Structure formats: structure tokens, C-alpha cells
Amino acid sequence: MNQRYQHKEIEEKWQKIWDRQKLFKVTEDPTKKKYYLLEMFPYPSGKIHMGHVRNYSIGDVVARYKKMKGFNVLHPMAWDAFGMPAENAAIEHGVHPAKWTYENIDYMRNQLKRMGFSYDWDREFATCDVSYYQWEQLFFLKMYEKGLAYKRRSFVNWCEICKTVLANEQVMSDGTCWRGHADDSGVTQKELDQWFFKITEYAEELLEWCEKLPGWPERVLTMQRNWIGKSIGAEIHFPLENSKEVIKVFTTRQDTVFGATFMSLAPEHPLALSLSKGTAQEQSVREFVERMRRQDKIKRTAETAEKEGIFTGGYCLNPLTQARMPIFVANFVLMEYGTGAVMAVPTHDQRDFEFAKKFGLPLIVVVQTEDLTLDANTMAEAYEGEGFLVNSGQFNGMDSVRAREKIAQYLEEKGLGGSRISYRLRDWGISRQRYWGAPIPIIYCDRCGTVSVPEKDLPVVLPSHVEITGTGQSPLTGLKEFVETRCPQCNGPAQRETDTMDTFVESSWYFDRFACPDYDKGPLEKKRVDYWMPVDQYIGGIEHAILHLLYSRFFTRVLKEMGWVSVSEPFTNLLTQGMVCKEVYECPKDGYLFPDEVTLQGEKLHCQKCDSQISIGRLEKMSKSKKNVVDPEYLIEKYGADTARMFCLFASPPEKDLDWSDQGVEGSARFLNRVWRLIYEQHHHLLNIRPLPFGVVLAGDQKALRQKTHRTIKKVTEDIERFHLNTAISAIMELVNEIYVSALKDSTDERSRKVIREAMEMVVVLLSPFVPHFAEELWEALGFQESIMKTQWPDYDPDAILEDEILIVIQINGRLRDRMTIPVSYGEEEVKVWALKSERIQKLVEGKEIKRVILVPKKLVNIVC
RNA sequence: GCCGAAGUGGUGGAAUUGGUAGACACGCCAUCUUGAGGGGGUGGUGGGUAAUCCCCGUGGGGGUUCAAAUCCCCCCUUCGGCACCA
């Protein structure tokens, strides 16, 4: 054993050994209990970042722990390898996306190996490989057959910087692209033919199952529920005047239908233009609609935006009152929610109220309460609450909640609509006008129309010779040999679809593929997938709370229906780890600065470029643009992978944000050195010593240290189980501190040696999931031949953790006044008596009447007086 | 506006079937070791105070209780999600 802890040497040594022994390779073994631990796989952007280090360190602790616990642990890693950065690199530097991607993968694989994560590397794959995405094309065809994939012309979110379409989930609430460009000009609307996956068909199931995922963080489920956005209401048909056509609306307040005095349509609604045709309004309506369509959707639909609208010239009839209702086009009505048409009840909806006031439209109160008496002539705002119905024909006097039910029933009976449920969730637009993605297996024939590529002709391989220019059109469109093909039905000339699939399609089933990455007769080998799925523990960033996690849940249901998987939900337990943050320096003139561009002058920080004074910004997520990143590579070089892992795990609990601290890293390194020195000093005298068996009776220092050792085993085990990794490490630190001050260290007594030996062994074993190379090396120094990973996770001796004396706190009126140590065997009365005997207590209660004495066994005595 | 999470020393954070607030670590202080520096060992470190007495103290205010960081009510702040969703 080396006197000094040489991290580089040790880490290289053990990584080689693990590799050679294939220590983390797993196969399906029905005799063993499986445990599938998965971390979100990375996009191969070039280098790993601290977020990866943290995410994968957390996962690795659990994977190694479960393995030592005897589980058959699947812990795989792969690459989410399709996507735009590869294509952008091609545009900027002329390097082919495939070359760029595979080189990045090689580099990052090497970095992950240097971190010592316990992956079964034999299961690695890259999603940009045809052996992976070919199966996605098969899924697409099956979904197309079932109507779950379809094409429609629609308004889509278009990011001018990415030059592609975004799904609704990929547009942030401030109207920017989820990729977060430095110069974010916002996402605009564009009308395009697009492929969609019918996720809306699963809205109810996905929502219902939110209740059946107790292993998920509540906030993720809440976000998903919000996103699905279920509303219970009714559809009502309003006949157009002088026409057989009806306008269908969705409302959650069908109880107010008697108060509907006009109609509002979305600018995109087909009737908006047709109703005004040939009327005096035709021109102005057209102008209004055009203007709205051009306007930024986010701005148009912001709550603060002014209500704008225009009369179409058309009328419809309120089906319950036969009142004549003018039809307007209004900026706040959204085509993609409900039916794109809203019955306007100005008395009981604030938006309609404002709109009616602006256009001088009639108000009819239809809901009243006992307390307020609403008057249409004087009311200053809409009343949106519940009450009883008035001016509502046969429904008068009925409670508004009950009226909703009755009116829906009535509508149903009369064929005027009926109960409906509406969701906010839209279908998932998967078309991307990009090269670096999985081609959609569709052919367009002039004669036969849209034809799917026959299964036997799969895969549609992404051509490698292509010119990438970044014009906004898929580079595939200009590629004759790709586009021009024969129709599989009539053999006539035809063209291939040039859109590729959203990269979230790849990440929606990669976790299934890990069960059988080498399988080539189909996408998934049922037997193996059934053995491993579902994922027992999934770990990743909160930023995927909706996107990836919702898509994956949807995809799992689809694959289940197709018979490829047996589970409905892919992830049993989910841990969303916090971000890695560091303070930012921002100069008023020069923007964000690197830490070495800042100098300390007295108490104040100054910019080296312009000498302006700089305030230390708040902690922000590490990002290149904010110049506050720490490169893991540097950490591995200087401190080693184990120290880097140690810091990430110790500095904060997994689900919270981690604040970067250089001093904290030093502290972690110091702790490992401290453990190293301890074992270095002792290991010669411990070599042939074996720990005492369970149940042995000790006394004094021996008993004390053995007790601490076994309590630490208990604590660390429980803490890992509940992901309190920071406190698990604290517990080990405490044990180390105790060994340092223990008199047993210098004793030559055989029993003392055994107790010390056990304490040391346990420090190393308990540390092994956290700092595996370090632990392996010390384990070897303690005389073990085999990898520490082959050791059983230790149990604690229940006898060893028992006390025979305990500390009892004595309170007077709930305030701490004294402490006493008493034998554990004392009965309740005995404890009370002893507490009252205390000198200090005697003094304090002197002359007072003791009203009550409360005893909490093994904890405290509280004297009330 | 609605929903959710959080607020504890100089700092990161412990402790919630109500029962010693501040484990562990960073920083700081003292002391020992070393020729010095670094490193290391030991001890101390919430605030007030000469104090091992006592008082105050878990965002603020009230309450329940023998006892509240923990439970209840009101309020404040921060972060995240949703939001003209009919």
C-alpha cells in the first residue's frame, strides 16, 4: 500500500480490472431479483458536464448498493444521438453530423469510464445508428396503420433559430424555444403539413395513471396534470341563421347558456371568413384575421393583451332562448382549444363582459345568489361563481352546479349537444425539417397518394452524402437519390417524405431497448423486456418533467397495445435531481465574466476589462453562456473521480440544487486522505485479524466503537434506501472521527484489534458505492483478494447497537434544565424519581408545586410546575 | 389569478409518528507537530453575556400542547409549473 493516496494510479488500475472482469455485465437470471436502475442518457454534445457527473454519481451509488445487496442490477448507458447541435456543427464547421456525433460519443464514453460508473457497457448503443432507428420506423408504420400517426396541415410553432418546428411541449411559457438561444426572438407560427402522434387519445389514461405513480415526485405529476388540462363541460350546437349549419362550442358553464348573447370565433376558425363573404364587413374581417394570424401568438394570447374583435356580419341562434346572437371574431379565442368557438356570456365571464362593454352588446343575468343581487345594468364585472338560476326557463331556481348536469342532459335529449370533456393536451407534432433524425417511412405517389414504406423495405436509411446549408428546408429535399423512388403499390414514380422524426421519439423507448440491445429480429425481445421492465428507479433532471416523461408514458402504452411490452408505465420510481449551480459575475458593460476576469480590490470585485465594479450575481445553473461552468475533466485530473463524486453527493441532497464550492471539493479530498492515512497506519497490524462474531458481549471502549460501527451500518443502509446520500456520508465521517480518537487504535489487545479491524472494514465497505476506486484499493490493502463489489452489503448486529445506559433530558416546563445518564433497565417511576433528585432540578423547583411529571421513555422527563 | 415546492448559524446542510435545534462539512479561532510554508493532529465555534448561570433563537404574527423547525390559522419572500383554456 502506498503511503500517499494517488488517485490517478488507483482509478486507472481499478477501471481496467472492472473492465477485464466484466464486473457490471448482467444477463437475465430468473433466480435472482432484478433491479433496473436508469439515468437519463446524454446527448453527445462533446464533453460531459457537472450535471452529468451529479446525475450519474447518484445513480451509481444506488446501482452498486443494490448489486451488493444481491440484486441482479441492470445499469446501462447509451447516447441520445440524433439532434440539432450535430447539424449546426455541420453548418458552422463543415463536419458531417455522423462524424461529429461519433467522435463526441468516443470522447464522452471515455470520460464516463474515467468516472468509474458501473455500467454494463455491452448494452451501449447510439440512437442515430440504423440498427436502432430502423425499429422506430417500424413503430411509425404500426401507428400509421392504427391511425395513431397521421398527417395534417396545421399551424405549428416555428423556431427561426433552429429552423424547424417545435412541439407545444417544446415552447416555453414565455414563447421561446426550449433550447434557450442566446438571442431569443421567439417562436412564430407557420402553416405546414405535419406528422402527428395521437397522444390525445391517451389523455384520460395518462391523467388517471398520475394517481397510480406513488414513486414519482408530486410536483412532476402536478405538472403533467396541468399539461393534460382536463375540463368537464358540454358541447352546445348553435344553429346559424338562415342555414342548416351549426356552430359547435365547448363550455364548462352550460348552466349559463340562457345568458349567451353573442358568439366569438377564433381568427383561424373556418367560419370567420365565410360568414362575412359578400357582406359589408368582408374586407375589414379579412384584414383583422390576417393581422391576427401574423401576430405573435404569445403576445396575442397574453392575459394583458387588449380584447380585440370584429363583427362578421353573421348571426346564430341561442338554441335554448332562440335569441339572435351576432357572431364576432376575437383575438383571445384559440383555435386549438375546444372547438375554436366560444358562446359569450358577458354576465358570468370576465372576458365576455369586457368584450360586450366594448361593443355595446346585451347582458342577461342568469345566476343569482342569496347575498348579492346582480343587475345587468349596474354590474362592474362578471360574476363567475355559483348560485341559482334565473331567466333560464324551466331551470329557474335550480342550483348552478346541478343545472350543469340537467342542461347537459337536456341538450343530449334534444340533439343540441351534450356532456363533453375537453383536454388542453394537443397531439404531438413529430415532423422536423431536419437532416439528423430518423426518416419518416412514407412515400407520396401522384396516383396512390400517401403510401407507407412496406415493412420489408425498412429501414429507410438516412443517406450519408448530403449538403447541409441551414436554409430552413430539410437537406434531404435536395437529395434526388433519396427523394425519387418508386411507389410500392403501383411502381410509378414517387417521392419520399423528407421530414425526420422529433428526437424525443428515440428517447421514448430506449429504456426498453436496453433489455435487448443486440436483438436484430425485431425492436424488442419480449422475454428479456418482460424480465427487466419496468425501470425500478429512474433518475434525471426536472426539465424533462413534461417533455420526455410524458412522451415515454404515451409510447409505453402504444407499445403495450402492440404487444411489445407488458407494462403500462415505464418508470416505477422517479428521482428528479437538482441543478448544479455556481455564482455568476456580471459586468454592467462587458456582460458575463469568467472568475479569472475579475479581481478583488479591497472588499469589492472589479472587471479586469473596464474596471467597473461587479456584484457577485446569484447562483445560477452552470452554463457556457453565463461563464460559470466547472469542467469535470479538470476535477478528475486534479482531485480524481472519487473526490468529484464525493463532493457531488455530500454537498446537498440529490433533489435539491447543488451549489458549487471549490472549498467543498477540497474538503471532500481531505476526507478521503484522512481515511487513507488511517488505514495506512493500521493495515499492517490488521492483516490477519477477523472481526468478532455477532452477539459477542463487550464493554468500555470496545463496546463503544463496535456500537458506533454497527449504528453506522444501519444509518448508511437506511439513508441510501431513501436517497439521503449526504447524510449517509456524514454518518461514515462520524465513524471515521470516532476511530481517530479511539484509544483502541494503539492497543495490541486481540479483541481491540478485532473491533478496530471491523470498524475499518466497514468504513471501506460503506464508502464503496460512493468512491469505488478508493474503496477497492483500501479493500485490497486490508488483505482481500476479490473486488469489493463481490462483497455482501453488511448487516448490523442488533445486539451491538443496544445501549445499557441512556441519556435522559430533564426539562422544567418544556425547557432543558439538566441531563442524566441512567441504566436502560430503570422503570418509569424510577426515572422520575432520579430526575427529581437532580441537584439543579431540586434548586429550580424549590418552593413550587409540581403539577405533573411527563415521561417520554428513553428520551426525557418534563416537570410541570 | 390557480397549483406545487421551499424559507434553519458567516456558508452548504442535519433533525419532522411533536420530545436535547444546528449532526456532518466549509469557514473562522486556539493549540500541538514542522526550520518555515504547506500539510496534519486535537479542541472550540448560533446570538446576547465575564460565565459551565440565564435570556433570545428555525421568514413574520397568532394558536393548539406539559413540549412546536415539525401540527393548525393568517401573512411575507423566493423558486418552479399552468394561465384570456371558454
Side-chain angles (χ1 to χ4, degrees):
Chain A
M1 182 187 183
N2 202 316
Q3 184 177 357
R4 295 198 45 195
Y5 167 39
Q6 311 274 19
H7 59 80
K8 199 175 159 85
E9 208 174 277
I10 291 169
E11 286 171 5
E12 281 172 6
K13 168 181 161 185
W14 288 100
Q15 282 160 18
K16 252 185 229 150
I17 293 172
W18 296 335
D19 223 30
R20 211 172 38 230
Q21 296 189 351
K22 292 230 176 252
L23 207 58
F24 306 113
K25 185 177 172 65
V26 276
T27 49
E28 300 69 43
D29 179 351
T31 63
K32 278 171 98 181
K33 213 166 168 223
K34 70 98 182 178
Y35 189 86
Y36 186 177
L37 183 113
L38 185 67
E39 299 125 31
M40 290 182 184
F41 68 162
Y43 178 78
S45 56
K47 290 170 143 199
I48 61 167
H49 53 68
M50 285 311 303
H52 295 128
V53 170
R54 186 174 192 209
N55 188 173
Y56 302 156
S57 295
I58 294 165
D60 206 42
V61 172
V62 179
R64 286 173 180 269
Y65 165 77
K66 289 285 180 183
K67 186 175 163 65
M68 291 170 84
K69 272 275 186 184
F71 287 90
N72 196 26
V73 176
L74 174 58
H75 187 209
M77 183 44 70
W79 308 97
D80 190 11
F82 269 139
M84 286 188 297
E87 212 163 327
N88 294 339
I91 295 164
E92 281 168 40
H93 306 114
V95 52
H96 193 279
K99 182 175 152 61
W100 186 86
T101 303
Y102 282 107
E103 281 177 5
N104 286 348
I105 288 174
D106 285 341
Y107 192 83
M108 289 171 73
R109 182 194 304 108
N110 188 36
Q111 286 189 308
L112 293 183
K113 287 200 169 177
R114 287 177 66 195
M115 284 301 301
F117 298 130
S118 62
Y119 299 125
D120 176 0
W121 283 106
D122 287 353
R123 291 176 188 254
E124 177 193 1
F125 56 82
T127 58
C128 63
D129 200 292
V130 67
S131 65
Y132 183 82
Y133 72 72
Q134 61 175 333
W135 305 118
E136 207 163 294
Q137 294 177 332
L138 180 66
F139 294 149
F140 182 95
L141 293 179
K142 300 281 185 198
M143 288 170 81
Y144 183 59
E145 268 170 39
K146 291 190 155 213
L148 289 171
Y150 66 94
K151 194 173 200 186
R152 117 170 102 85
R153 189 165 188 81
S154 69
F155 284 94
V156 292
N157 309 300
W158 179 265
C159 174
E160 201 42 56
I161 296 164
C162 293
K163 301 261 187 231
T164 192
V165 159
L166 301 175
N168 288 344
E169 291 81 359
Q170 292 161 358
V171 182
M172 302 293 95
S173 52
D174 60 352
T176 58
C177 175
W178 69 292
R179 292 188 161 273
H181 310 292
D183 165 37
D184 227 321
S185 45
V187 174
T188 57
Q189 298 297 301
K190 202 167 173 174
E191 197 172 19
L192 285 174
D193 285 319
Q194 293 288 299
W195 285 98
F196 287 88
F197 281 160
K198 220 173 196 171
I199 192 170
T200 51
E201 196 154 309
Y202 296 80
E204 189 58 40
E205 262 189 81
L206 290 168
L207 183 68
E208 269 176 29
W209 276 75
C210 282
E211 313 305 320
K212 300 174 196 169
L213 291 169
W216 283 40
E218 195 50 43
R219 60 175 175 155
V220 174
L221 295 173
T222 304
M223 282 190 227
Q224 294 215 346
R225 286 189 200 106
N226 279 345
W227 189 259
I228 294 167
K230 180 179 182 176
S231 303
I232 299 167
E235 184 177 279
I236 308 180
H237 303 170
F238 288 74
L240 281 176
E241 192 180 51
N242 310 321
S243 162
K244 283 192 178 131
E245 264 191 85
V246 296
I247 300 180
K248 293 178 178 176
V249 307
F250 173 76
T251 179
T252 54
R253 290 300 301 267
Q254 60 270 25
D255 53 321
T256 64
V257 63
F258 286 82
T261 53
F262 62 99
M263 179 70 69
S264 306
L265 302 178
E268 296 85 358
H269 197 288
L271 284 172
L273 291 175
S274 66
L275 278 175
S276 62
K277 205 157 228 160
T279 71
Q281 287 88 339
E282 181 171 357
Q283 189 57 26
S284 43
V285 169
R286 183 176 303 279
E287 276 168 21
F288 180 82
V289 168
E290 294 290 318
R291 187 160 62 83
M292 287 303 136
R293 281 187 181 179
R294 272 198 311 273
Q295 219 179 54
D296 185 339
K297 185 122 188 190
I298 304 299
K299 277 189 203 129
R300 193 186 104 196
T301 58
E303 197 164 1
T304 48
E306 204 196 335
K307 309 256 170 299
E308 284 190 77
I310 189 164
F311 177 50
T312 57
Y315 290 87
C316 63
L317 299 174
N318 186 320
L320 276 83
T321 63
Q322 304 307 315
R324 197 164 175 247
M325 296 163 59
I327 303 169
F328 285 78
V329 181
N331 62 341
F332 60 86
V333 181
L334 306 172
M335 191 59 213
E336 55 281 9
Y337 186 79
T339 60
V342 182
M343 71 169 197
V345 185
T347 43
H348 303 293
D349 182 289
Q350 188 57 24
R351 292 160 303 178
D352 297 341
F353 182 85
E354 287 168 33
F355 198 86
K357 285 288 168 192
K358 189 165 171 173
F359 289 91
L361 297 160
L363 277 70
I364 305 168
V365 172
V366 291
V367 179
Q368 288 287 10
T369 70
E370 303 289 344
D371 316 324
L372 26 138
T373 314
L374 298 170
D375 180 349
N377 298 314
T378 56
M379 60 200 294
E381 58 178 13
Y383 172 71
E384 296 183 340
E386 306 293 349
F388 58 88
L389 266 55
V390 294
N391 297 323
S392 297
Q394 71 264 46
F395 301 101
N396 275 343
M398 196 179 280
D399 175 74
S400 55
V401 177
R402 190 170 145 72
R404 284 206 275 279
E405 201 182 302
K406 288 289 163 196
I407 290 177
Q409 224 170 53
Y410 178 83
L411 292 165
E412 193 84 59
E413 283 160 16
K414 301 281 171 184
L416 297 168
S419 286
R420 290 290 184 282
I421 288 167
S422 186
Y423 299 91
R424 208 189 76 98
L425 181 71
R426 301 290 85 200
D427 277 338
W428 173 15
I430 58 144
S431 282
R432 294 293 179 272
Q433 294 66 47
R434 280 280 171 168
Y435 163 70
W436 196 233
I440 293 173
I442 288 289
I443 289 167
Y444 300 106
C445 168
D446 294 340
R447 259 195 289 177
C448 311
T450 304
V451 181
S452 48
V453 173
E455 274 180 43
K456 65 172 174 53
D457 292 348
L458 290 182
V460 178
V461 177
L462 190 65
S464 55
H465 297 289
V466 67
E467 200 189 333
I468 297 166
T469 53
T471 55
Q473 271 211 323
S474 167
L476 292 173
T477 52
L479 212 63
K480 266 193 178 178
E481 62 270 34
F482 179 79
V483 177
E484 288 179 8
T485 185
R486 292 266 150 196
C487 171
Q489 280 176 15
C490 70
N491 204 32
Q495 293 85 45
R496 280 191 195 283
E497 171 64 79
T498 56
D499 282 353
T500 51
M501 286 189 244
D502 182 1
T503 56
F504 278 103
V505 181
E506 281 91 66
S507 53
S508 292
W509 68 286
Y510 79 108
F511 39 88
D512 297 313
R513 183 68 184 173
F514 272 134
C516 51
D518 53 348
Y519 190 60
D520 60 3
K521 294 177 184 64
L524 297 168
E525 190 178 7
K526 189 85 190 293
K527 222 174 85 189
R528 289 206 270 169
V529 174
D530 283 352
Y531 177 80
W532 291 113
M533 285 298 285
V535 173
D536 294 281
Q537 182 66 55
Y538 197 29
I539 307 174
I542 185 74
E543 64 273 22
H544 291 110
I546 296 167
L547 292 161
H548 162 58
L549 291 170
L550 191 63
Y551 294 147
S552 296
R553 295 182 60 209
F554 158 64
F555 226 76
T556 299
R557 295 190 131 64
V558 172
L559 294 188
K560 186 185 179 191
E561 276 167 28
M562 292 176 180
W564 272 302
V565 303
S566 303
V567 297
S568 301
E569 289 289 341
F571 315 122
T572 308
N573 294 292
L574 174 69
L575 177 79
T576 47
Q577 108 262 6
M579 299 179 297
V580 182
C581 300
K582 190 169 183 286
E583 75 281 356
V584 291
Y585 300 102
E586 197 173 7
C587 170
K589 282 189 212 145
D590 295 306
Y592 289 112
L593 299 173
F594 289 109
D596 58 9
E597 292 173 328
V598 174
T599 38
L600 191 67
Q601 298 174 11
E603 296 277 283
K604 304 278 162 64
L605 291 167
H606 288 261
C607 172
Q608 283 179 3
K609 294 179 187 168
C610 67
D611 206 43
S612 309
Q613 195 178 311
I614 302 193
S615 53
I616 301 176
R618 358 177 272 163
L619 294 160
E620 298 228 37
K621 181 182 178 175
M622 283 189 181
S623 77
K624 275 186 200 154
S625 62
K626 292 194 176 120
K627 301 190 175 178
N628 65 340
V629 293
V630 173
D631 186 359
E633 187 110 13
Y634 155 83
L635 277 181
I636 297 171
E637 273 305 313
K638 184 165 178 195
Y639 298 98
D642 284 332
T643 297
R645 294 167 60 125
M646 186 78 181
F647 171 72
C648 285
L649 298 166
F650 178 64
S652 87
E655 64 283 358
K656 279 186 69 167
D657 285 352
L658 170 72
D659 299 332
W660 189 259
S661 154
D662 290 330
Q663 285 170 337
V665 179
E666 293 278 353
S668 298
R670 207 179 299 161
F671 170 69
L672 295 184
N673 276 301
R674 188 168 152 87
V675 176
W676 187 274
R677 281 194 308 273
L678 187 63
I679 301 220
Y680 179 77
E681 282 166 19
Q682 295 281 329
H683 76 290
H684 294 296
H685 320 296
L686 294 171
L687 278 179
N688 296 312
I689 313 275
R690 289 290 165 265
L692 291 162
F694 277 25
V696 71
V697 180
L698 298 173
D701 288 347
Q702 293 179 350
K703 181 183 171 72
L705 183 59
R706 185 147 192 278
Q707 186 177 66
K708 185 69 182 177
T709 302
H710 284 265
R711 287 192 169 171
T712 306
I713 297 168
K714 183 169 189 277
K715 168 90 174 144
V716 172
T717 307
E718 287 167 357
D719 279 354
I720 293 178
E721 291 280 358
R722 55 181 193 146
F723 288 100
H724 287 211
L725 307 183
N726 54 333
T727 52
I729 294 172
S730 300
I732 303 170
M733 287 175 169
E734 280 187 54
L735 176 58
V736 171
N737 290 345
E738 190 126 333
I739 298 172
Y740 256 90
V741 296
S742 170
L744 268 48
K745 256 195 329 177
D746 308 314
S747 166
T748 51
D749 168 75
E750 202 198 322
R751 281 200 151 188
S752 295
R753 290 279 93 202
K754 284 177 175 292
V755 172
I756 281 281
R757 165 87 198 186
E758 184 184 49
M760 301 262 192
E761 271 186 23
M762 286 308 117
V763 166
V764 175
V765 172
L766 297 176
L767 274 176
S768 69
F770 301 89
V771 285
H773 317 85
F774 179 85
E776 290 275 25
E777 188 67 17
L778 294 181
W779 195 241
E780 192 180 66
L782 286 173
F784 293 100
Q785 311 284 322
E786 277 216 303
S787 165
I788 197 166
M789 287 305 298
K790 295 190 175 170
T791 313
Q792 279 272 315
W793 186 259
D795 290 319
Y796 64 89
D797 180 353
D799 293 329
I801 64 169
L802 291 178
E803 303 262 13
D804 33 38
E805 285 200 320
I806 44 169
L807 182 75
I808 297 283
V809 165
I810 311 173
Q811 297 180 335
I812 295 177
N813 295 330
R815 325 193 80 144
L816 175 69
R817 287 294 182 253
D818 200 6
R819 300 177 166 93
M820 62 180 180
T821 304
I822 55 161
V824 87
S825 55
Y826 275 16
E828 288 197 13
E829 284 313 308
E830 226 168 341
V831 175
K832 285 182 186 174
V833 168
W834 276 95
L836 288 164
K837 271 190 194 165
S838 146
E839 234 177 87
R840 286 182 57 193
I841 298 301
Q842 290 266 309
K843 220 188 285 173
L844 286 160
V845 298
E846 203 176 8
K848 289 180 189 152
E849 185 204 348
I850 295 172
K851 295 189 188 112
R852 268 172 86 183
V853 178
I854 290 151
L855 180 108
V856 181
K858 293 182 184 178
K859 286 219 167 110
L860 61 78
V861 176
N862 189 14
I863 300 158
V864 186
C865 60

